[in-house]
Amino acid sequence: MTGILNVLNTIGYHNLRDTGDCWRCDPLYREYRSRNSLAIKKLTGQWFDHSERVGGSLAQLVQKTLKLPSISETKTYMGDLPIYVDTRHSVELTDIKKFDKNLLIKLIKDNSYWNSRGISDRTLKGFQGGIAQNGRMKGRYVFPIFDERGDLIGFSGRLIQKSDSLPKWKHLGQKKNFVFPAHASKFIQETKTVMLVESIGDCLKLMECGINNILVSFGVSLSPKIIQHLLKLDVGKIVISLNNDEDNGFVGNEAAKEYKEELLNYFDESQLAIALPTAKDFGEMSCEEITSWKNQYLN
């Protein structure tokens, strides 16, 4: 580890943030707006740029940072460390379970539950959801979760009948890998602004009211995967809009503060804002109220 740290210091990486098995820092080889988007493994020197979605060996980082014409010229800076060339440097290695897309054919295209809650077929169309008739999601309106490549990596299902014993929402797949909804990314890229909300219900209501640059956190913890996605999109403003739990222990309120503290490791304070809904959540607000809220916080 000492040898790797010496190499990094030599080529200009001094302000390294310790995150356990990795250091996080700014990428010196390019201009950047989001901070600490470069992750470097302490034991191997392997690196990954979460904004550009590229990475590789320590020698490749030296070459890229110093703009050296060839990998062989990194030897001067690598000392006794070997020069590894990672031919998979553009791939982030993760083990994510994938589901068969044929499962989507079995979903019943019945939107009546959400229609009764004021969500139109137009809004629901982009989610490709439906009601599951059997399996672990039986009796739920199921939303498929896709990754950036379009692979099916999970499901989130909402009970459509009241139950005293079953939870309202149920998730299948690794929630830590969810970046949802996938079709919101184009709106985030266009506006360079993103809203972070707790649930799919919040997302649907906001989209029904014309706000489409939204990501769902699926609770009150912010996953590293969502942070990576925000870095990749190079967003200019992040609006944290978790539930307003003034009457329920301030859970969402406190979580919003924790989100901001975590995001300050990657973004400037001027890019972050906490703007909770005026009701408990956006589902309890009318489109008129949401438009007024938008004019205050998103414009």
Side-chain angles (χ1 to χ4, degrees):
M1 187 174 72
T2 303
I4 293 171
L5 183 58
N6 286 340
V7 171
L8 294 173
N9 287 335
T10 298
I11 64 174
Y13 292 100
H14 303 295
N15 298 318
L16 299 172
R17 176 172 171 261
D18 194 323
T19 61
D21 62 343
C22 289
W23 291 299
R24 298 298 293 258
C25 57
D26 300 329
L28 302 180
Y29 46 80
R30 64 174 176 84
E31 294 183 358
Y32 53 88
R33 177 161 56 187
S34 306
R35 295 183 288 110
N36 293 328
S37 60
L38 178 63
I40 306 167
K41 290 283 187 181
K42 291 181 180 178
L43 295 180
T44 64
Q46 286 280 105
W47 59 279
F48 190 80
D49 186 328
H50 290 289
S51 184
E52 290 198 334
R53 309 293 291 177
V54 297
S57 67
L58 179 61
Q60 287 171 318
L61 178 59
V62 173
Q63 182 185 12
K64 192 175 182 70
T65 300
L66 300 180
K67 298 179 173 57
L68 300 175
S70 67
I71 195 77
S72 62
E73 294 193 30
T74 65
K75 184 64 178 175
T76 303
Y77 304 90
M78 294 289 289
D80 295 331
L81 293 175
I83 298 176
Y84 294 118
V85 178
D86 187 353
T87 58
R88 302 166 299 176
H89 69 277
S90 62
V91 179
E92 182 181 12
L93 300 179
T94 55
D95 183 17
I96 300 176
K97 180 181 179 180
K98 298 175 183 177
F99 294 84
D100 186 349
K101 289 185 180 179
N102 287 325
L103 293 171
L104 302 180
I105 301 174
K106 300 178 181 180
L107 297 177
I108 303 300
K109 301 302 180 181
D110 179 355
N111 295 333
S112 57
Y113 169 78
W114 288 109
N115 294 158
S116 69
R117 300 187 64 178
I119 308 301
S120 66
D121 291 343
R122 170 185 54 81
T123 295
L124 290 162
K125 182 178 180 181
F127 290 87
Q128 304 180 50
I131 298 173
Q133 298 183 90
N134 46 48
R136 287 178 287 175
M137 286 293 192
K138 182 179 180 180
R140 295 177 182 273
Y141 189 100
V142 176
F143 295 88
I145 313 290
F146 300 96
D147 66 9
E148 296 169 327
R149 301 175 182 86
D151 292 323
L152 182 60
I153 63 170
F155 298 93
S156 183
R158 174 61 160 90
L159 271 181
I160 58 177
Q161 300 291 337
K162 289 185 178 180
S163 173
D164 295 328
S165 58
L166 297 175
K168 290 182 180 180
W169 287 94
K170 182 176 182 178
H171 310 295
L172 296 180
Q174 296 177 301
K175 194 168 65 171
K176 66 180 181 179
N177 292 318
F178 291 178
V179 177
F180 180 91
H183 64 285
S185 291
K186 64 178 181 180
F187 299 105
I188 297 171
Q189 286 179 312
E190 289 172 2
T191 62
K192 290 300 179 182
T193 298
V194 63
M195 282 183 60
L196 299 177
V197 300
E198 280 189 40
S199 75
I200 293 178
D202 293 313
C203 177
L204 291 173
K205 185 57 178 285
L206 289 166
M207 286 189 165
E208 184 69 23
C209 299
I211 302 174
N212 297 298
N213 47 326
I214 304 163
L215 289 180
V216 178
S217 64
F218 294 97
V220 293
S221 60
L222 185 62
S223 71
K225 188 69 175 180
I226 289 179
I227 296 175
Q228 292 172 13
H229 192 66
L230 296 175
L231 291 169
K232 177 188 175 184
L233 296 179
D234 194 25
V235 295
K237 184 176 182 180
I238 301 171
V239 181
I240 304 166
S241 301
L242 307 186
N243 289 356
N244 190 341
D245 292 323
E246 291 182 357
D247 299 323
N248 187 31
F250 293 91
V251 178
N253 310 56
E254 293 301 317
K257 295 176 184 177
E258 293 174 5
Y259 274 35
K260 184 175 181 181
E261 288 299 314
E262 176 64 20
L263 290 167
L264 280 171
N265 293 313
Y266 308 93
F267 300 91
D268 293 330
E269 186 162 11
S270 61
Q271 296 176 272
L272 307 175
I274 295 176
L276 306 184
T278 53
K280 179 183 181 296
D281 56 46
F282 291 106
E284 296 184 358
M285 296 171 63
S286 67
C287 278
E288 291 76 14
E289 291 171 326
I290 287 174
T291 299
S292 177
W293 178 94
K294 174 189 174 183
N295 291 336
Q296 181 177 357
Y297 294 109
L298 293 187
N299 293 339

